[in-house]
Amino acid sequence: MTENSLMNSEKLYFSISEIADSFGVSTSLIRYWETEFSFLKPHKNSKGDRRFTKQNIEQLQLIYHLVKERGFTLEGAKNELKENKKRVQSINSPTPNDPLNRGGTRSYR
């Protein structure tokens, strides 16, 4: 399963192993990136298992692109993201279909 197939899936949440497999990296690298990039905050269930949303996958795609494909160091990637903050903010803003968007509008019928 690739990150594109995750984005096309109807699932709302993905496990860390699904994410790692789709990017071809280890689960420990995903956890490490979570500590290094403050905007990457997957949800955790009552057992503490990470549950990644499609928004988190988009964030990981950006990190992966900078670090693995373009060869940025983690500090370089952080600096690039700071310079392009608008892009990160648009990724972080909840979508209307996000079930955790508690501040969004609701339709009552």
Side-chain angles (χ1 to χ4, degrees):
M1 184 177 279
T2 66
E3 63 263 18
N4 286 335
S5 62
L6 290 178
M7 293 301 289
N8 293 329
S9 172
E10 292 191 22
K11 287 176 65 174
L12 296 177
Y13 298 101
F14 302 90
S15 70
I16 192 168
S17 60
E18 289 174 306
I19 300 295
D21 288 345
S22 72
F23 281 93
V25 299
S26 66
T27 56
S28 61
L29 181 61
I30 300 292
R31 286 190 297 274
Y32 180 67
W33 283 350
E34 184 184 339
T35 65
E36 290 294 314
F37 295 91
S38 60
F39 62 86
L40 181 59
K41 296 192 183 309
H43 302 284
K44 293 184 182 177
N45 65 15
S46 59
K47 293 188 331 184
D49 296 334
R50 290 163 176 81
R51 293 294 175 214
F52 292 83
T53 64
K54 290 181 181 182
Q55 176 183 342
N56 297 137
I57 295 169
E58 289 175 357
Q59 294 166 337
L60 284 164
Q61 285 173 329
L62 183 56
I63 294 168
Y64 183 89
H65 173 71
L66 292 173
V67 175
K68 294 293 189 179
E69 294 174 347
R70 292 192 54 199
F72 279 69
T73 63
L74 291 181
E75 281 304 313
K78 288 176 195 178
N79 291 335
E80 179 74 9
L81 292 170
K82 282 181 188 175
E83 291 176 15
N84 296 308
K85 200 170 192 174
K86 283 186 179 180
R87 185 174 180 186
V88 173
Q89 287 173 340
S90 70
I91 291 173
N92 281 336
S93 62
T95 61
N97 294 332
D98 185 350
L100 297 173
N101 180 11
R102 291 174 176 61
T105 59
R106 294 189 179 168
S107 174
Y108 297 101
R109 294 181 187 234

